Amino acid sequence: MNYPARVFRDLLSTWHFNALSDRIESLAAELVSEVVLAKTSVCLGLMEKEALPKLFGLTYLLDGYGLILRQRYREKGDGIFVFADLKQESMSEFQGNTVIEHIEPASFEFARAA
């Protein structure tokens, strides 16, 4: 049995019926812990394409918990697999990079504005 998928279904149905429910916080935290334990993408189930808009608000909620929901279409195009991944912090493209210049003293001039 796919326990994270069951937690996701409970979270989705609770979110759909009562977005202010106290259970949402505990279910979201439980889903995060399951994804952390898996250490990889976790398949949360197969949904119909028409059900995808129901995930939009939940996507923003889970983003605050450090989860990203991704979808992958089936080959036949008749459904969508939903996966959960941990959000990775992106390092700045400049962080930790160093440039070492070797300049000949007389051969280099900065461009001057005319």
Side-chain angles (χ1 to χ4, degrees), residues 45-95:
L46 179 62
M47 297 180 73
E48 295 176 348
K49 288 189 295 187
E50 295 77 25
L52 191 62
K54 293 180 182 179
L55 295 180
F56 289 140
L58 191 58
T59 300
Y60 291 113
L61 173 82
L62 291 175
D63 182 67
Y65 282 87
L67 281 185
I68 297 174
L69 293 183
R70 301 183 191 279
Q71 75 258 1
R72 299 288 183 259
Y73 289 91
R74 291 183 73 190
E75 237 178 273
K76 297 177 184 179
D78 59 348
I80 298 170
F81 285 102
V82 178
F83 291 87
D85 293 302
L86 289 177
K87 203 164 52 167
Q88 302 292 324
E89 288 188 31
S90 61
M91 189 168 65
S92 167
E93 64 182 286
F94 299 109
Q95 185 177 348

Side-chain angles (χ1 to χ4, degrees), residues 5-74:
R6 192 180 89 194
V7 172
F8 179 71
R9 281 193 307 273
D10 289 347
L11 177 59
L12 184 59
S13 67
T14 303
W15 176 264
H16 181 69
F17 290 112
N18 183 6
L20 300 175
S21 172
D22 294 335
R23 286 193 68 216
I24 290 176
E25 300 291 324
S26 63
L27 288 168
E30 190 170 351
L31 184 59
V32 171
S33 69
E34 289 297 317
V35 175
V36 168
L37 288 174
K39 299 180 184 175
T40 186
S41 292
V42 175
C43 182
L44 300 176
L46 179 62
M47 297 180 73
E48 295 176 348
K49 288 189 295 187
E50 295 77 25
L52 191 62
K54 293 180 182 179
L55 295 180
F56 289 140
L58 191 58
T59 300
Y60 291 113
L61 173 82
L62 291 175
D63 182 67
Y65 282 87
L67 281 185
I68 297 174
L69 293 183
R70 301 183 191 279
Q71 75 258 1
R72 299 288 183 259
Y73 289 91
R74 291 183 73 190

